Amino acid sequence: MYKIINKRQLSESIFYMEVEAKRVADSCLPGQFVIVKTGKEGERIPLTICDYDRERGTVTIVFQAVGVSTIKMSRLEEGDGFTDFVGPLGRPSELCADINNAKGKKILFIAGGVGTAPVYPQVKFLKEAGIDADVIIGARNKELIILEDEMKKVAANVYVATDDGSYGFKGNVNDRLKDLKANGAEYDLVVAIGPIIMMKFVCLLTKELNIPTIVSMNPIMVDGTGMCGACRLLVGGKVQFACVDGPEFDGHLVDFDQAMKRAAIYKTEEGRAKLALLEGDTHHGGCGNCN
Ligand code: NAD
Ligand code: FES
């Protein structure tokens, strides 16, 4: 069992858990994810790692209780545990896998809602490597802003924006970026992590501004193993699987509309059968043929 040693409720439906998982903590890097299960019959839930402590042998996850499995997870308390905590999975963030990718660059992270959690370890990793980055945290309202204090300890500047103006700048993350640009800010690279619709619109803006942009396609994953086919997406016209080839991709090459449409179709049995018919050999609907 993987014991929960620290639990915090960050907002009405967002939970933070530090879990004893020494083997994952020993080797994980920012950008990678774990698959957790609360019981032998439980659903597999892929979650991007929010933090890790190699000395304590712990990994921190942050999740939103939205479906049956995540609501069950949210009811676990300190001392309880997960039956499965598998990882690290996926490729590490390119910036952290090779710090030369980050050196000399002015980097802006754009974190939307719960997507703030996977942004945190990347900014922390860069800070420890002597590289300063700025962060925009966007949320619908003040109550949904998470990890602001933690982020302030590792980022050069943290810019908070709320859609309703209840805290910080009034507007979404793109409005905040436009405002920063209008005030003279320059960036060489943007990393955007949040809802797919946010990443789509951030990429439309950064394309206009000519700033290369990395996104994390974690939201379309289901089993996280390359078997179910749920996370199939087109990147530069090429078929990729978020859990095996990502989760991070060049956002200017991702076909977000296709990814969102496909994720909606995938939700029903009939939809999955239709995708198998349309996508043929590249469907991976449980065929196990991917690497
Ligand atoms: P949300 O819908 O409240 O949006 C958060 C912020 O994103 C908004 O406040 C706004 O600033 C920005 N945003 C949203 N839509 C936008 C648009 N069209 N244009 C510009 N900015 C926009 O976010 P939430 O409810 O916290 O997000 C939950 C989603 O985040 C889930 O779908 C989850 O799968 C996803 N998520 C993604 C990752 C990842 O790795 N990409 C990680 C965790 C969660
Ligand atoms: Fe199932 Fe990637 S999440 S194939």
Side-chain angles (χ1 to χ4, degrees):
M1 194 177 76
Y2 300 87
K3 198 159 96 178
I4 299 161
I5 58 165
N6 185 6
K7 176 188 177 187
R8 278 159 50 197
Q9 187 161 356
L10 302 182
S11 76
E12 196 186 331
S13 63
I14 305 174
F15 294 83
Y16 167 110
M17 287 178 180
E18 185 182 2
V19 180
E20 276 179 352
K22 185 161 171 28
R23 275 174 51 197
V24 182
D26 277 348
S27 58
C28 65
L29 278 174
Q32 291 186 293
F33 66 94
V34 289
I35 292 179
V36 306
K37 265 175 73 175
T38 51
K40 285 287 165 232
E41 306 305 319
E43 192 189 346
R44 306 159 61 91
I45 305 169
L47 293 167
T48 315
I49 290 166
C50 168
D51 201 4
Y52 52 88
D53 186 323
R54 302 211 203 282
E55 278 176 25
R56 282 157 64 86
T58 62
V59 173
T60 300
I61 51 172
V62 169
F63 62 93
Q64 200 167 17
V66 281
V68 175
S69 300
T70 45
I71 290 172
K72 277 187 189 162
M73 257 172 78
S74 72
R75 291 180 178 160
L76 296 175
E77 298 298 340
E78 289 175 10
D80 295 337
F82 293 93
T83 46
D84 294 67
F85 200 92
V86 180
L89 300 166
R91 293 170 186 270
S93 146
E94 273 181 33
L95 296 178
C96 304
D98 182 354
I99 206 69
N100 289 319
N101 291 326
K103 273 186 186 153
K105 288 197 178 114
K106 185 94 175 83
I107 303 170
L108 173 70
F109 285 85
I110 298 186
V114 194
T116 308
V119 164
Y120 172 71
Q122 297 205 31
V123 182
K124 183 179 167 194
F125 186 97
L126 293 179
K127 167 89 177 165
E128 286 167 359
I131 295 168
D132 282 336
D134 288 352
V135 181
I136 294 176
I137 301 180
R140 273 169 274 152
N141 56 50
K142 184 178 182 195
E143 140 83 359
L144 295 171
I145 295 286
I146 61 166
L147 304 174
E148 183 190 359
D149 291 343
E150 289 83 348
M151 202 70 90
K152 279 184 172 159
K153 289 184 189 143
V154 293
N157 297 291
V158 175
Y159 305 106
V160 175
T162 50
D163 298 2
D164 67 356
S166 53
Y167 186 51
F169 179 92
K170 184 176 188 316
N172 67 31
V173 292
N174 264 1
D175 299 326
R176 191 66 182 102
L177 173 54
K178 284 182 200 159
D179 182 66
L180 287 174
K181 286 290 293 175
N183 285 292
E186 291 294 339
Y187 293 104
D188 303 312
L189 179 69
V190 163
V191 180
I193 305 185
I196 300 183
I197 190 78
M198 179 204 92
M199 296 190 285
K200 171 187 164 170
F201 280 97
V202 166
C203 286
L204 287 174
L205 176 61
T206 57
K207 218 170 190 176
E208 246 175 61
L209 299 171
N210 205 17
I211 312 174
T213 300
I214 296 169
V215 296
S216 169
M217 295 304 285
N218 176 296
I220 57 170
M221 289 187 207
V222 172
D223 75 346
T225 63
M227 298 280 282
C228 72
C231 68
R232 183 189 193 273
L233 76 163
L234 291 175
V235 182
K238 256 180 67 186
V239 171
Q240 301 274 278
F241 289 84
C243 67
V244 178
D245 303 309
E248 293 192 351
F249 295 99
D250 178 341
H252 292 169
L253 296 180
V254 170
D255 186 337
F256 290 101
D257 291 336
Q258 185 261 3
M260 286 187 280
K261 201 169 134 198
R262 195 180 178 282
I265 298 175
Y266 190 88
K267 284 192 178 128
T268 64
E269 203 168 311
E270 195 193 332
R272 289 192 289 277
K274 183 176 165 191
L275 290 172
L277 190 68
L278 295 176
E279 294 172 354
D281 283 351
T282 63
H283 175 62
H284 285 218
C287 68
N289 283 341
C290 54
N291 52 356

